[in-house]
Amino acid sequence: MTRTPIWHSVQDVPADLGATAVSIGNYDGIHRGHRYVLDQLVHHAESRGLSPVALTFWPHPRHVMGTPGEPPLLTGHEDRDRLLLLAGVHGVLDLEFTRDFALYSPEAFVRVFLVEGLGMKCVVLGEDALFGRANAGNIDTMRELGRKYGFEVVTVSDLGPEGEESGRISSSGIRAALLTGDIEVATEGLGRLHTVTDTVRHGFQRGRELGFPTANLGPDPAGLIPADGVYAGYLTVLEQDSAHADTEPLAGAAATISIGTNPTFEVDGAPRRTVEAYVHGAHDLDLYGDTVRLEFVAFQRPTLKFDAVETLVEQMQRDVEVTRRTLDPGPSRQAAED
């Protein structure tokens, strides 16, 4: 069956999809806990001859019903849906969340989007799942609706920190780790390297003048920006600007990543926080206009202010060497496939 696997309304769902098993969630980060639920979804779908489908929302409901932009999200929109597909589902029903959408009663939500929209015969969710207007629906509500509309309800436990079905891996915990620069804890929770994605922009050209040309991201890349500091990581070109079509795109290139306001240099007005990556050995690299993904492997040091440019350059040389030692022979990468 040929189809677009990401749908933004029930009208987009292929008529020949067949009966489905569905899991519902925001899935920010697609961390190990999410993937455990999705693994169970795929397992129960296959054992029942159903198509596994994830139902999710964008924007995040808390951004609509609460403070816009709070909490900051671990993954961008496209990355979130891409990672859902990589988890093994056959499709993603990605619905726009609005205040009007939030008015659906629990039963109307289940009937319109799950039963009629997706032909659901099995729903896989946690015991603490809430849904519908004012989160009025819970697991008991879902069981009642299952008896009414003829679908099975399967519950799964949260995945604990050591892989057992106890405790909880949460997006909020991973978010807190990244905001303090604790990449090791974030990687453990995610089960992969944390990433940010954006188009490379023109910066102040300071790195090029110092012998360390960097790829500069915009102020709002897709994915949570970790705490200020210097990191070891990788850079991959996801989409090239047309001007670079005759060059081979980088994939998993070693990079020293810097996040902060460049306090060594004076600027007019408020300092601007930047995310920039120096690709090792790539002194003549042109990535302007390319869409790149940065993967964070390890925190190296906090952002520092230097009294002289020469001292900064010496530190940058040490940073590159630390990155090289960190990545070579390199930790096992669990980055998402392109």
Side-chain angles (χ1 to χ4, degrees), residues 15 53 56 67 70 87 99 111 116 129 135 144 157 177 185 191 195-196 204 216 220 241 261 269 297 314:
V53 172
T56 189
T67 303
E70 291 294 333
R99 287 186 173 272
R111 176 177 54 79
E116 297 174 357
N135 282 333
E144 292 174 7
S157 301
V185 168
T195 67
V196 298
F204 293 107
N216 295 269
D220 297 302
D241 184 89
T261 58
V297 174
E314 291 173 0

PDB file of all heavy atoms in Angstrom, residues 15 53 56 67 70 87 99 111 116 129 135 144 157 177 185 191 195-196 204 216 220 241 261 269 297 314:
ATOM      1  N   ALA A  15      -8.009   5.010   2.782  1.00  0.00           N
ATOM      2  CA  ALA A  15      -9.204   4.181   2.934  1.00  0.00           C
ATOM      3  C   ALA A  15      -8.852   2.711   3.106  1.00  0.00           C
ATOM      4  O   ALA A  15      -9.620   1.946   3.701  1.00  0.00           O
ATOM      5  CB  ALA A  15     -10.122   4.380   1.720  1.00  0.00           C
ATOM      6  N   VAL A  53      -0.757   2.576  14.700  1.00  0.00           N
ATOM      7  CA  VAL A  53      -0.815   4.000  14.364  1.00  0.00           C
ATOM      8  C   VAL A  53      -0.626   4.811  15.644  1.00  0.00           C
ATOM      9  O   VAL A  53      -1.176   4.466  16.697  1.00  0.00           O
ATOM     10  CB  VAL A  53      -2.163   4.368  13.704  1.00  0.00           C
ATOM     11  CG1 VAL A  53      -2.293   5.879  13.535  1.00  0.00           C
ATOM     12  CG2 VAL A  53      -2.302   3.668  12.360  1.00  0.00           C
ATOM     13  N   THR A  56      -1.099  11.895  17.624  1.00  0.00           N
ATOM     14  CA  THR A  56      -0.396  12.917  18.380  1.00  0.00           C
ATOM     15  C   THR A  56      -0.899  14.298  17.989  1.00  0.00           C
ATOM     16  O   THR A  56      -1.801  14.415  17.141  1.00  0.00           O
ATOM     17  CB  THR A  56       1.126  12.778  18.178  1.00  0.00           C
ATOM     18  OG1 THR A  56       1.809  13.647  19.079  1.00  0.00           O
ATOM     19  CG2 THR A  56       1.519  13.100  16.739  1.00  0.00           C
ATOM     20  N   THR A  67       1.042  28.623  28.792  1.00  0.00           N
ATOM     21  CA  THR A  67       1.968  29.647  28.328  1.00  0.00           C
ATOM     22  C   THR A  67       2.625  29.208  27.032  1.00  0.00           C
ATOM     23  O   THR A  67       3.238  28.133  26.994  1.00  0.00           O
ATOM     24  CB  THR A  67       3.061  29.914  29.383  1.00  0.00           C
ATOM     25  OG1 THR A  67       2.438  30.295  30.606  1.00  0.00           O
ATOM     26  CG2 THR A  67       4.009  31.018  28.918  1.00  0.00           C
ATOM     27  N   GLU A  70       6.084  27.102  26.643  1.00  0.00           N
ATOM     28  CA  GLU A  70       6.421  26.453  27.907  1.00  0.00           C
ATOM     29  C   GLU A  70       5.626  25.157  28.061  1.00  0.00           C
ATOM     30  O   GLU A  70       4.397  25.178  27.973  1.00  0.00           O
ATOM     31  CB  GLU A  70       6.131  27.386  29.081  1.00  0.00           C
ATOM     32  CG  GLU A  70       7.057  28.583  29.168  1.00  0.00           C
ATOM     33  CD  GLU A  70       8.484  28.192  29.464  1.00  0.00           C
ATOM     34  OE1 GLU A  70       8.681  27.128  30.088  1.00  0.00           O
ATOM     35  OE2 GLU A  70       9.396  28.928  29.073  1.00  0.00           O
ATOM     36  N   ALA A  87       9.978   4.286  14.944  1.00  0.00           N
ATOM     37  CA  ALA A  87       9.641   3.360  16.026  1.00  0.00           C
ATOM     38  C   ALA A  87       8.803   2.189  15.540  1.00  0.00           C
ATOM     39  O   ALA A  87       8.520   1.274  16.317  1.00  0.00           O
ATOM     40  CB  ALA A  87       8.917   4.104  17.145  1.00  0.00           C
ATOM     41  N   ARG A  99      -7.841  25.535  20.720  1.00  0.00           N
ATOM     42  CA  ARG A  99      -8.797  25.622  21.834  1.00  0.00           C
ATOM     43  C   ARG A  99     -10.134  24.990  21.459  1.00  0.00           C
ATOM     44  O   ARG A  99     -10.818  24.413  22.316  1.00  0.00           O
ATOM     45  CB  ARG A  99      -8.973  27.082  22.257  1.00  0.00           C
ATOM     46  CG  ARG A  99      -7.754  27.619  23.018  1.00  0.00           C
ATOM     47  CD  ARG A  99      -7.981  29.020  23.559  1.00  0.00           C
ATOM     48  NE  ARG A  99      -6.862  29.425  24.411  1.00  0.00           N
ATOM     49  CZ  ARG A  99      -6.762  29.189  25.702  1.00  0.00           C
ATOM     50  NH1 ARG A  99      -7.752  28.549  26.322  1.00  0.00           N
ATOM     51  NH2 ARG A  99      -5.719  29.589  26.400  1.00  0.00           N
ATOM     52  N   ARG A 111     -14.804   8.625  19.425  1.00  0.00           N
ATOM     53  CA  ARG A 111     -15.654   8.217  18.309  1.00  0.00           C
ATOM     54  C   ARG A 111     -15.179   8.822  16.989  1.00  0.00           C
ATOM     55  O   ARG A 111     -15.038   8.110  15.981  1.00  0.00           O
ATOM     56  CB  ARG A 111     -17.103   8.640  18.579  1.00  0.00           C
ATOM     57  CG  ARG A 111     -18.065   8.340  17.423  1.00  0.00           C
ATOM     58  CD  ARG A 111     -19.486   8.726  17.785  1.00  0.00           C
ATOM     59  NE  ARG A 111     -19.600  10.109  18.235  1.00  0.00           N
ATOM     60  CZ  ARG A 111     -19.629  11.167  17.399  1.00  0.00           C
ATOM     61  NH1 ARG A 111     -19.557  10.990  16.082  1.00  0.00           N
ATOM     62  NH2 ARG A 111     -19.747  12.387  17.886  1.00  0.00           N
ATOM     63  N   GLU A 116     -14.157   6.099  14.184  1.00  0.00           N
ATOM     64  CA  GLU A 116     -14.555   6.401  12.806  1.00  0.00           C
ATOM     65  C   GLU A 116     -13.359   6.822  11.951  1.00  0.00           C
ATOM     66  O   GLU A 116     -13.254   6.417  10.799  1.00  0.00           O
ATOM     67  CB  GLU A 116     -15.615   7.505  12.809  1.00  0.00           C
ATOM     68  CG  GLU A 116     -16.906   7.111  13.520  1.00  0.00           C
ATOM     69  CD  GLU A 116     -17.887   8.270  13.630  1.00  0.00           C
ATOM     70  OE1 GLU A 116     -17.531   9.398  13.205  1.00  0.00           O
ATOM     71  OE2 GLU A 116     -18.999   8.053  14.154  1.00  0.00           O
ATOM     72  N   ALA A 129      -3.466   7.542  31.689  1.00  0.00           N
ATOM     73  CA  ALA A 129      -3.829   8.323  30.504  1.00  0.00           C
ATOM     74  C   ALA A 129      -5.077   9.166  30.760  1.00  0.00           C
ATOM     75  O   ALA A 129      -6.034   8.714  31.382  1.00  0.00           O
ATOM     76  CB  ALA A 129      -4.061   7.395  29.316  1.00  0.00           C
ATOM     77  N   ASN A 135      -9.403  17.038  30.228  1.00  0.00           N
ATOM     78  CA  ASN A 135      -8.822  15.752  30.629  1.00  0.00           C
ATOM     79  C   ASN A 135      -9.811  14.941  31.466  1.00  0.00           C
ATOM     80  O   ASN A 135      -9.417  14.247  32.428  1.00  0.00           O
ATOM     81  CB  ASN A 135      -7.520  15.954  31.403  1.00  0.00           C
ATOM     82  CG  ASN A 135      -6.350  16.266  30.504  1.00  0.00           C
ATOM     83  OD1 ASN A 135      -6.333  15.876  29.339  1.00  0.00           O
ATOM     84  ND2 ASN A 135      -5.362  16.981  31.014  1.00  0.00           N
ATOM     85  N   GLU A 144     -14.965   1.800  29.241  1.00  0.00           N
ATOM     86  CA  GLU A 144     -16.410   1.891  28.985  1.00  0.00           C
ATOM     87  C   GLU A 144     -16.688   2.135  27.503  1.00  0.00           C
ATOM     88  O   GLU A 144     -17.592   1.525  26.913  1.00  0.00           O
ATOM     89  CB  GLU A 144     -17.011   3.021  29.815  1.00  0.00           C
ATOM     90  CG  GLU A 144     -17.010   2.773  31.320  1.00  0.00           C
ATOM     91  CD  GLU A 144     -17.496   3.990  32.095  1.00  0.00           C
ATOM     92  OE1 GLU A 144     -17.949   4.961  31.446  1.00  0.00           O
ATOM     93  OE2 GLU A 144     -17.418   3.978  33.352  1.00  0.00           O
ATOM     94  N   SER A 157       2.858  -0.362  31.480  1.00  0.00           N
ATOM     95  CA  SER A 157       3.500   0.363  32.570  1.00  0.00           C
ATOM     96  C   SER A 157       4.575   1.281  32.018  1.00  0.00           C
ATOM     97  O   SER A 157       5.077   1.087  30.907  1.00  0.00           O
ATOM     98  CB  SER A 157       4.121  -0.625  33.562  1.00  0.00           C
ATOM     99  OG  SER A 157       3.147  -1.490  34.101  1.00  0.00           O
ATOM    100  N   ALA A 177      17.791  17.779  32.550  1.00  0.00           N
ATOM    101  CA  ALA A 177      19.189  17.375  32.373  1.00  0.00           C
ATOM    102  C   ALA A 177      19.868  18.210  31.292  1.00  0.00           C
ATOM    103  O   ALA A 177      20.993  18.695  31.472  1.00  0.00           O
ATOM    104  CB  ALA A 177      19.263  15.889  32.031  1.00  0.00           C
ATOM    105  N   VAL A 185      22.989  11.989  31.259  1.00  0.00           N
ATOM    106  CA  VAL A 185      21.662  11.627  31.769  1.00  0.00           C
ATOM    107  C   VAL A 185      20.619  11.741  30.660  1.00  0.00           C
ATOM    108  O   VAL A 185      19.743  10.884  30.519  1.00  0.00           O
ATOM    109  CB  VAL A 185      21.283  12.515  32.969  1.00  0.00           C
ATOM    110  CG1 VAL A 185      19.809  12.368  33.317  1.00  0.00           C
ATOM    111  CG2 VAL A 185      22.139  12.152  34.174  1.00  0.00           C
ATOM    112  N   GLY A 191      17.808   7.313  25.031  1.00  0.00           N
ATOM    113  CA  GLY A 191      18.226   6.107  24.330  1.00  0.00           C
ATOM    114  C   GLY A 191      18.881   6.421  23.000  1.00  0.00           C
ATOM    115  O   GLY A 191      19.044   5.546  22.147  1.00  0.00           O
ATOM    116  N   THR A 195      19.443  15.932  19.718  1.00  0.00           N
ATOM    117  CA  THR A 195      19.732  16.657  18.487  1.00  0.00           C
ATOM    118  C   THR A 195      19.011  17.994  18.439  1.00  0.00           C
ATOM    119  O   THR A 195      17.962  18.182  19.063  1.00  0.00           O
ATOM    120  CB  THR A 195      19.293  15.848  17.247  1.00  0.00           C
ATOM    121  OG1 THR A 195      17.856  15.740  17.222  1.00  0.00           O
ATOM    122  CG2 THR A 195      19.903  14.456  17.250  1.00  0.00           C
ATOM    123  N   VAL A 196      19.600  18.928  17.693  1.00  0.00           N
ATOM    124  CA  VAL A 196      18.908  20.143  17.272  1.00  0.00           C
ATOM    125  C   VAL A 196      19.133  20.283  15.767  1.00  0.00           C
ATOM    126  O   VAL A 196      20.164  19.858  15.235  1.00  0.00           O
ATOM    127  CB  VAL A 196      19.390  21.410  18.011  1.00  0.00           C
ATOM    128  CG1 VAL A 196      19.133  21.298  19.501  1.00  0.00           C
ATOM    129  CG2 VAL A 196      20.857  21.674  17.743  1.00  0.00           C
ATOM    130  N   PHE A 204      28.882  36.202  12.821  1.00  0.00           N
ATOM    131  CA  PHE A 204      29.801  37.342  12.890  1.00  0.00           C
ATOM    132  C   PHE A 204      31.136  37.074  12.194  1.00  0.00           C
ATOM    133  O   PHE A 204      31.986  37.956  12.128  1.00  0.00           O
ATOM    134  CB  PHE A 204      30.066  37.709  14.361  1.00  0.00           C
ATOM    135  CG  PHE A 204      28.862  38.256  15.071  1.00  0.00           C
ATOM    136  CD1 PHE A 204      28.198  37.490  16.021  1.00  0.00           C
ATOM    137  CD2 PHE A 204      28.391  39.533  14.798  1.00  0.00           C
ATOM    138  CE1 PHE A 204      27.088  37.987  16.689  1.00  0.00           C
ATOM    139  CE2 PHE A 204      27.282  40.046  15.457  1.00  0.00           C
ATOM    140  CZ  PHE A 204      26.631  39.271  16.399  1.00  0.00           C
ATOM    141  N   ASN A 216      26.726  28.299  11.921  1.00  0.00           N
ATOM    142  CA  ASN A 216      25.894  28.987  12.900  1.00  0.00           C
ATOM    143  C   ASN A 216      24.417  28.685  12.656  1.00  0.00           C
ATOM    144  O   ASN A 216      23.921  28.876  11.541  1.00  0.00           O
ATOM    145  CB  ASN A 216      26.115  30.501  12.808  1.00  0.00           C
ATOM    146  CG  ASN A 216      27.525  30.903  13.192  1.00  0.00           C
ATOM    147  OD1 ASN A 216      27.815  31.199  14.335  1.00  0.00           O
ATOM    148  ND2 ASN A 216      28.417  30.886  12.203  1.00  0.00           N
ATOM    149  N   ASP A 220      16.224  30.000  16.912  1.00  0.00           N
ATOM    150  CA  ASP A 220      15.181  29.060  17.339  1.00  0.00           C
ATOM    151  C   ASP A 220      15.245  27.759  16.547  1.00  0.00           C
ATOM    152  O   ASP A 220      14.332  27.436  15.771  1.00  0.00           O
ATOM    153  CB  ASP A 220      13.798  29.700  17.169  1.00  0.00           C
ATOM    154  CG  ASP A 220      13.619  30.925  18.042  1.00  0.00           C
ATOM    155  OD1 ASP A 220      13.749  30.783  19.264  1.00  0.00           O
ATOM    156  OD2 ASP A 220      13.364  32.017  17.489  1.00  0.00           O
ATOM    157  N   ASP A 241      21.617  23.277   0.306  1.00  0.00           N
ATOM    158  CA  ASP A 241      21.223  24.410  -0.518  1.00  0.00           C
ATOM    159  C   ASP A 241      21.554  24.091  -1.966  1.00  0.00           C
ATOM    160  O   ASP A 241      22.506  23.362  -2.250  1.00  0.00           O
ATOM    161  CB  ASP A 241      21.974  25.665  -0.051  1.00  0.00           C
ATOM    162  CG  ASP A 241      21.544  26.907  -0.804  1.00  0.00           C
ATOM    163  OD1 ASP A 241      20.604  27.576  -0.377  1.00  0.00           O
ATOM    164  OD2 ASP A 241      22.187  27.195  -1.831  1.00  0.00           O
ATOM    165  N   THR A 261      26.898  33.262  24.512  1.00  0.00           N
ATOM    166  CA  THR A 261      26.823  34.639  24.017  1.00  0.00           C
ATOM    167  C   THR A 261      28.184  35.199  23.610  1.00  0.00           C
ATOM    168  O   THR A 261      28.311  36.407  23.405  1.00  0.00           O
ATOM    169  CB  THR A 261      26.206  35.555  25.088  1.00  0.00           C
ATOM    170  OG1 THR A 261      27.008  35.479  26.280  1.00  0.00           O
ATOM    171  CG2 THR A 261      24.779  35.135  25.405  1.00  0.00           C
ATOM    172  N   GLY A 269      24.214  46.464  21.998  1.00  0.00           N
ATOM    173  CA  GLY A 269      22.921  45.951  22.401  1.00  0.00           C
ATOM    174  C   GLY A 269      23.065  44.691  23.238  1.00  0.00           C
ATOM    175  O   GLY A 269      24.145  44.325  23.699  1.00  0.00           O
ATOM    176  N   VAL A 297      27.159  14.702  22.219  1.00  0.00           N
ATOM    177  CA  VAL A 297      27.740  13.503  22.825  1.00  0.00           C
ATOM    178  C   VAL A 297      28.173  13.748  24.263  1.00  0.00           C
ATOM    179  O   VAL A 297      27.915  12.927  25.138  1.00  0.00           O
ATOM    180  CB  VAL A 297      28.934  13.008  21.988  1.00  0.00           C
ATOM    181  CG1 VAL A 297      29.643  11.845  22.678  1.00  0.00           C
ATOM    182  CG2 VAL A 297      28.472  12.600  20.588  1.00  0.00           C
ATOM    183  N   GLU A 314      43.916  29.525  21.978  1.00  0.00           N
ATOM    184  CA  GLU A 314      44.573  28.397  22.631  1.00  0.00           C
ATOM    185  C   GLU A 314      43.545  27.456  23.259  1.00  0.00           C
ATOM    186  O   GLU A 314      43.676  26.229  23.182  1.00  0.00           O
ATOM    187  CB  GLU A 314      45.549  28.906  23.693  1.00  0.00           C
ATOM    188  CG  GLU A 314      46.763  29.631  23.123  1.00  0.00           C
ATOM    189  CD  GLU A 314      47.612  30.267  24.207  1.00  0.00           C
ATOM    190  OE1 GLU A 314      47.242  30.132  25.407  1.00  0.00           O
ATOM    191  OE2 GLU A 314      48.638  30.890  23.876  1.00  0.00           O
TER     192      GLU A 314
END
